[in-house]
Amino acid sequence: MSKLLVIGCGGVASVAIQKCCQNSGTFTELCIASRTVSKCDALKEKLAGKTTTKITTAQVDADNVEELKALINGYKPDAVLNVALPYQDLTIMDACLACGVDYIDTANYEPENTDDPAWRALYEKRCKEEGFTAYFDYSWQWAYREKFREAGLTAILGSGFDPGVTSVFSAYALKHYFDEIHTIDILDCNGGDHGYAFATNFNPEINLREVSANGSYWEDGHWVETKPMEIHRTYDFPQVGEKDMYLLHHEEIESLAKNIPGVKRIRFFMTFGQSYLTHMKCLENVGMLSTSPVMFEGCEIVPIQFLKALLPDPATLGPRTKGKTNIGCIFTGIKDGKEKTIYIYNVCDHQECYQEVGSQAISYTTGVPAMIGAALVVNGAWKKPGVFNLEEMDPDPFMDLLNQYGLPWVVDEAPATVE
Ligand code: NDP
């Protein structure tokens, strides 16, 4: 029995909330709060009569700590699930600390305005010290460890699929299959087709920032940075087939490098079709991916936000997207003195997700683990003071709930590896 406050009501939130309502024994009451309250009301209406979870809605600007505190103090939830945008991570963590409430999110902090001089100075220092140039990193949220520990509160960072399930797969592999893990290749394959020449599967601004950035991987204790899309491989994905994939920087590399003892190399690959890459390059070349405001006919606009307004809303891709995703990790290492390789992955079908919750598989594969992370905190299994990435927690209850709530996984003990 618990009360959950969900912040955000976009593609991922919609799935997470519907999954909370399937798990109404754990989530007896739920408040959906977001910037646009009409979206929260529409989802509440869609769920009316289908769940015993008692749902309320609220309007909140999650950039504003005082508004968040008023909402949290008024509703008195056991935990806050942040499925708004990474820009709001720190304000929501501050409000949770002030109100004495646990915190769960799906993506690490990055600033909305990357031209802010104060942020920029710290960012440039970090680029030099750490050796990667992504706008997002865990330092901001890891800095809350002591505060959460002292307050006796739990913060779980990155409870989506990647990061999230991939982090739990890593902990599970270490617990049950290896004495030492030497390499991790995280493979994110979307074999789905929505029929548009160009669209993103989750928030376009966050997605395009991530994909157009330099790639990087972790090797022998340091970062190796590459040009965007410089490293290309093909892989024959179970139930999807052969796909081109490209090495990207990804946030879980940073935490896995710290939390998986003795790991020598961690890489992340994502599949992209040629049409996506050509469109993205063209948009980048003409400045449409810029986050810096420009003046247009007397009005200040941010190019990437304007582009977002033109692109299909990822939440509307559900009915059109056909095919499957396959996301998982290939681990190599040692067990009982012998070399071992395993591949743990999940295959998710876009149309099956749409039939169940009205969303495509990218929102589904993120929303289900968001609900599971929140469930494990409120039911006490993952309740401990501090700020944690998922690989730091016991993977077993999470793996069980993945099977139960629609993301069954497979362990292949003789997989093909990536060069
Ligand atoms: P959407 O853009 O669909 O939804 C974001 C929601 O947050 C919207 O409802 C939006 O409100 C709300 N929001 C934005 N700003 C504020 C604010 N200041 N105050 C209150 N509400 C706000 O995004 P997605 O659902 O696609 O993504 C949600 C999160 O999931 C992101 O952080 C994303 O990075 C993460 N993600 C994680 C993945 C993983 O595997 N770990 C994979 C995919 C996504 P409005 O409707 O008014 O715009």
Side-chain angles (χ1 to χ4, degrees), residues 9-12 35-36 39 60-63 84 86 106 161-163 203 366:
C9 194
V12 173
R35 182 167 55 190
T36 313
K39 290 192 190 168
V60 73
D61 175 3
D63 291 320
T106 65
F161 205 106
D162 41 342
N203 184 285
T366 311

Side-chain angles (χ1 to χ4, degrees), residues 161-179:
F161 205 106
D162 41 342
V165 177
T166 52
S167 324
V168 172
F169 284 172
S170 301
Y172 188 78
L174 189 60
K175 183 172 176 182
H176 298 286
Y177 287 89
F178 291 95
D179 297 324

Side-chain angles (χ1 to χ4, degrees), residues 224-288:
V224 181
E225 192 150 83
T226 69
K227 295 266 166 280
M229 309 294 166
E230 185 183 326
I231 298 186
H232 162 234
R233 300 278 186 275
T234 52
Y235 193 80
D236 193 1
F237 289 91
Q239 295 190 51
V240 175
E242 198 165 274
K243 292 276 169 198
D244 290 322
M245 60 184 192
Y246 298 83
L247 185 138
L248 297 186
H249 175 83
H250 222 245
E251 65 196 63
E252 65 266 55
I253 302 177
E254 194 188 356
S255 69
L256 290 170
K258 292 201 162 48
N259 294 327
I260 302 294
V263 68
K264 294 181 171 58
R265 191 189 67 201
I266 312 173
R267 302 182 298 186
F268 180 98
F269 292 92
M270 192 177 271
T271 62
F272 296 102
Q274 202 47 53
S275 172
Y276 183 99
L277 294 178
T278 309
H279 278 78
M280 193 183 73
K281 196 72 217 157
C282 177
L283 291 165
E284 189 180 18
N285 285 345
V286 298
M288 282 302 285

Side-chain angles (χ1 to χ4, degrees), residues 4-10 13 17 30-45 54-62 67-77 84:
L4 183 71
L5 171 63
V6 180
I7 300 183
C9 194
I17 289 160
L30 194 144
C31 175
I32 315 170
S34 192
R35 182 167 55 190
T36 313
V37 74
S38 56
K39 290 192 190 168
C40 311
D41 292 333
L43 183 56
K44 179 184 169 190
E45 205 166 298
K54 187 172 163 224
I55 303 174
T56 51
T57 61
Q59 199 277 331
V60 73
D61 175 3
E67 267 192 41
L68 286 165
K69 277 161 60 180
L71 174 66
I72 296 172
N73 283 330
Y75 186 62
K76 297 193 178 13

Side-chain angles (χ1 to χ4, degrees), residues 7-14 33-37 39-40 59-64 67-68 82-89 91-92 105-108 110 112 158-165 188 201-204 206-207 210 250-252 308 313-315 327 360 362-363 365-367 369:
I7 300 183
C9 194
V12 173
S14 162
S34 192
R35 182 167 55 190
T36 313
V37 74
K39 290 192 190 168
C40 311
Q59 199 277 331
V60 73
D61 175 3
D63 291 320
N64 183 322
E67 267 192 41
L68 286 165
N82 167 16
V83 270
L85 296 178
Y87 312 145
Q88 283 88 42
D89 287 0
T91 47
I92 300 178
D105 71 25
T106 65
N108 71 3
E110 66 181 280
E112 185 158 12
S159 195
F161 205 106
D162 41 342
V165 177
D188 180 332
N201 293 299
F202 69 98
N203 184 285
I206 306 295
N207 181 244
E210 173 180 288
H250 222 245
E251 65 196 63
E252 65 266 55
K308 182 184 175 204
D313 179 351
I327 320 176
Q360 32 80 0
I362 305 301
S363 301
T365 53
T366 311

Side-chain angles (χ1 to χ4, degrees), residues 9 76 84 86 104 127 137 142 173 188 244 251 281 292 301 324 340 358:
C9 194
K76 297 193 178 13
I104 302 100
C127 292
D137 74 272
W142 285 343
D188 180 332
D244 290 322
E251 65 196 63
K281 196 72 217 157
S292 303
I301 58 166
K324 291 176 179 174
K340 189 173 177 76

Side-chain angles (χ1 to χ4, degrees), residues 337-395:
K338 286 196 198 120
E339 286 191 2
K340 189 173 177 76
T341 302
I342 68 166
Y343 182 21
I344 313 183
Y345 62 87
N346 159 263
V347 174
C348 194
D349 185 285
H350 285 286
Q351 279 300 300
E352 283 173 17
C353 297
Y354 183 65
Q355 298 311 325
E356 184 193 329
V357 294
S359 300
Q360 32 80 0
I362 305 301
S363 301
Y364 191 93
T365 53
T366 311
V368 171
M371 178 282 283
I372 295 175
L376 293 176
V377 171
V378 299
N379 76 14
W382 277 15
K383 169 90 188 128
K384 58 178 179 177
V387 174
F388 302 98
N389 296 93
L390 274 74
E391 66 273 13
E392 295 177 86
M393 312 307 274
D394 179 8

